[in-house]
Amino acid sequence: MSGRNTGTDGTAGLDGTAGPGGPAGAGATRDTAGPEGTRGPSGPGEGSHGAEEWLRLDRRAVPLTALVMAGVACGVCLPVLFGLSGGAWFGAGHGTRTLLLLAGGVLLVVGGAAVEYLRWSRTRYRIGPERAELHTGLLLVKRRSLARERIRSVDLTASPLLRVLGLVKVRMGTGEHTGGGESTLELHPVSRAEGERLRRELLGRPPAADGDGHRDGELAALDPRWLRYAPLSFVAPLLGGAAAGGVMQVSEWFGAQDEVIDWVGDRFRGTPVGWIVPAVAAVVLLAGVVGALGLWVEMWWNYRLEREPGGTLRVRRGLLTTRSISIEERRLRGVELVEPLGARLSGAARVDAVATGLAEAEEDQHADHRTLLPAVPRAVADDVVARVLREAAPPTGARLTTHPRAARTRRLRWAVAAALLPVVVLAVLGALLTDVLLYAAGACALVLPPLAVLLALDAYRGLGHGLSGAYLVTRSGTARRATVALQRGGVIGWTVRQSYTQRRAGLITLTATTAAGAGAYDVYDADASEGLGFAATAVPGLLEPFLERGAPPGR
């Protein structure tokens, strides 16, 4: 029995020749029940590139897995031992449990290493002139290949343990949005030298003619002063809360939760309740700030952004876990300059790539594959934007068209309504249940509406759109203000939306559709006539067939 999953551009045989569904060059996956053969067209000894050598993963994969499983065993067994024995590991009735847990840990390590040895012994890969191929599996054999001309990214990742052993994980991708991982091949692990060789071989392109004045080489490098922006994100309070929860959980494992609570109570004995809450919040926030600083250092230490010969942008970063992310410039459709509220108040912004094929598996979303530059001073961010896009001036710094006052009115109306809703709910519940809720409603009425008005006005000031050379620029947001510079040639469609209230106010919302980045970028609450003219000018010929000449705005 066998099954076949093919890429979106046709079906390819296992030997790299064209199958009945389309031409050779498409990515293909074949799962075969039973052991992999060593001869014949589907075996690793022959195929489309029989002269190419089939390679194994690094032999250190087995001891690597053993070390990982040992860490897992310690992480599972030690808390269980403490919980069951209360510290008396070999007391009456505890010795047998301890020995059983130790035996289970040893079995976990040995079993994991044995499984990894089987995986290693059954895994082969090779890079031929036309295809990159991977054969793996014991009972269910997977034979997968990607056309070399379609490979758009080769990312290298090394955790601390991999770095100690001199290994990396290599992920090769085509940039296509397909299910089941059909658009990627992953080699884990290979030596660091082998990973770099694969990256150079697969992404090697002829050097481009340097006719725009922008040379290859370093575009940005780490400045330790950027560290001051790390605590200004929403991550800090979240990390502080997580730290407090972690302390309580660990103390419960060791049966010391009551002692921790009593110790905290002793520190605040005799302190008014009105001071206890701010003090605890300050301690939690301080822990979050420390955690945010540590997280930033881990993610961005040794950061460097480079343009390599042939037009590839490479981001290298990481203190403990190192990452190398490559983006081909021909896949780049623009950039997104992001200003979270805290960073914006301090004059900072980060830069994300708007490119095709950057969708990653869920387990890798935390790796920030789109981010080209962390939070830095706005002037530095604009300078990097100009260098990345090979422009004399950054499109993200262009003057934008302001939106009508009706857009401000809409934001004020929605903000005040959202602020008054909890006030009304608390007031009703307080009238029915307890006066305490009435006091809470009064406090919310004093704080929430003014705050909502300030945010609404800030959101209105952030609205804007315009054209800057070959780029369409749109800006919106308050808690997360984003300025997107999108290549006009990358826009493949427009969506025009107009609600009843927008129609009465003469406003529309335009959405530029593209195959890159988020897939759609909005121009919120623009003047109806001006917005349609802007869309028609940005991408000539795309919207004109749907416009009615002489029709009143908003009709």
Side-chain angles (χ1 to χ4, degrees):
M1 298 292 293
S2 65
R4 182 186 293 264
N5 298 319
T6 62
T8 58
D9 55 351
T11 303
L14 293 178
D15 57 356
T17 59
T29 303
R30 182 171 183 176
D31 299 344
T32 305
E36 181 183 357
T38 57
R39 297 179 61 85
S42 63
E46 300 179 18
S48 60
H49 315 296
E52 296 295 327
E53 180 184 2
W54 285 90
L55 304 174
R56 291 181 182 268
L57 300 177
D58 196 278
R59 291 180 177 273
R60 289 169 288 182
V62 178
L64 172 67
T65 299
L67 290 173
V68 172
M69 299 309 294
V72 172
C74 291
V76 172
C77 294
L78 289 181
V80 174
L81 283 174
F82 277 106
L84 293 178
S85 64
W89 290 12
F90 293 98
H94 297 307
T96 302
R97 299 176 188 173
T98 301
L99 293 176
L100 288 176
L101 283 172
L102 291 176
V106 172
L107 182 62
L108 183 64
V109 173
V110 174
V115 171
E116 178 62 20
Y117 175 78
L118 291 176
R119 184 189 77 90
W120 173 82
S121 65
R122 302 294 297 175
T123 301
R124 303 285 190 279
Y125 71 93
R126 68 177 175 183
I127 308 299
E130 297 179 2
R131 310 190 66 81
E133 300 176 83
L134 174 67
H135 291 185
T136 187
L138 180 61
L139 299 178
L140 184 66
V141 177
K142 296 182 178 180
R143 298 166 180 169
R144 309 185 53 227
S145 65
L146 298 177
R148 284 190 58 169
E149 63 181 9
R150 303 187 68 86
I151 294 177
R152 297 290 181 263
S153 64
V154 180
D155 298 335
L156 312 181
T157 306
S159 64
L161 189 54
L162 287 175
R163 293 183 63 187
V164 170
L165 297 176
L167 303 173
V168 296
K169 178 175 70 174
V170 179
R171 179 187 289 268
M172 297 172 278
T174 63
E176 297 175 348
H177 298 258
T178 57
E182 296 175 15
S183 61
T184 61
L185 291 181
E186 186 173 292
L187 306 179
H188 178 57
V190 298
S191 67
R192 184 182 296 112
E194 174 67 1
E196 289 291 343
R197 183 192 71 82
L198 291 172
R199 200 189 72 83
R200 289 193 302 269
E201 181 176 349
L202 292 171
L203 295 183
R205 302 287 188 267
D210 188 18
D212 55 7
H214 291 81
R215 298 180 179 179
D216 297 334
E218 182 180 290
L219 302 182
L222 176 71
D223 185 339
R225 291 176 294 181
W226 300 346
L227 181 63
R228 67 182 184 270
Y229 301 118
L232 301 180
S233 68
F234 295 106
V235 173
L238 295 178
L239 290 177
V247 169
M248 298 305 295
Q249 182 62 57
V250 172
S251 64
E252 183 180 7
W253 287 347
F254 289 89
Q257 191 176 75
D258 293 338
E259 287 80 355
V260 171
I261 295 174
D262 292 340
W263 183 86
V264 174
D266 291 340
R267 304 286 80 76
F268 294 100
R269 193 176 303 279
T271 304
V273 176
W275 289 101
I276 293 178
V277 174
V280 172
V283 172
V284 171
L285 183 59
L286 179 61
V289 168
V290 174
L293 292 172
L295 181 62
W296 191 96
V297 171
E298 152 58 17
M299 292 183 62
W300 293 104
W301 201 252
N302 295 322
Y303 162 81
R304 190 172 181 181
L305 171 63
E306 300 170 301
R307 175 181 287 117
E308 297 183 326
T312 298
L313 297 174
R314 184 182 188 186
V315 179
R316 289 187 286 183
R317 58 186 175 86
L319 178 64
L320 300 178
T321 298
T322 60
R323 298 180 178 89
S324 170
I325 300 168
S326 302
I327 302 174
E328 281 191 322
E329 285 188 280
R330 61 178 176 174
R331 293 194 294 127
L332 194 66
R333 298 294 178 266
V335 297
E336 183 175 13
L337 190 140
V338 182
E339 302 171 275
L341 182 59
R344 177 159 53 90
L345 293 177
S346 61
R350 79 168 190 265
V351 178
D352 291 349
V354 178
T356 60
L358 288 184
E360 298 292 332
E362 292 184 0
E363 64 269 16
D364 289 330
Q365 286 180 353
H366 68 279
D368 293 333
H369 286 76
R370 297 193 308 144
T371 303
L372 297 176
L373 186 70
V376 300
R378 174 63 189 266
V380 176
D382 282 332
D383 181 62
V384 171
V385 166
R387 295 186 183 187
V388 167
L389 298 181
R390 299 179 183 267
E391 296 288 332
T396 50
R399 289 182 59 87
L400 303 181
T401 301
T402 57
H403 289 207
R405 291 182 178 271
R408 182 181 66 179
T409 302
R410 277 173 54 83
R411 275 149 185 77
L412 287 171
R413 186 184 302 122
W414 282 104
V416 172
L420 292 179
L421 179 60
V423 175
V424 173
V425 172
L426 289 173
V428 172
L429 293 177
L432 297 175
L433 301 176
T434 175
D435 292 341
V436 175
L437 295 180
L438 292 177
Y439 293 122
C444 290
L446 292 175
V447 175
L448 294 183
L451 180 61
V453 169
L454 289 176
L455 292 177
L457 293 176
D458 181 70
Y460 170 71
R461 285 193 296 269
L463 288 178
H465 65 276
L467 299 176
S468 178
Y471 291 89
L472 175 160
V473 184
T474 177
R475 183 180 65 206
S476 62
T478 179
R480 181 189 181 276
R481 180 167 295 172
T483 305
V484 178
L486 181 64
Q487 286 181 1
R488 295 158 68 177
V491 178
I492 59 177
W494 285 101
T495 300
V496 181
R497 301 194 306 272
Q498 189 176 50
S499 66
Y500 173 74
T501 57
Q502 283 180 313
R503 186 161 60 251
R504 294 192 58 183
L507 304 175
I508 59 172
T509 294
L510 298 164
T511 301
T513 305
T514 180
Y521 295 95
D522 296 306
V523 179
Y524 293 103
D525 290 336
D527 178 80
S529 297
E530 193 278 331
L532 292 175
F534 162 75
T537 303
V539 189
L542 187 59
L543 196 60
E544 281 85 346
F546 305 96
L547 296 179
E548 296 181 11
R549 299 299 178 185
R555 297 290 182 182

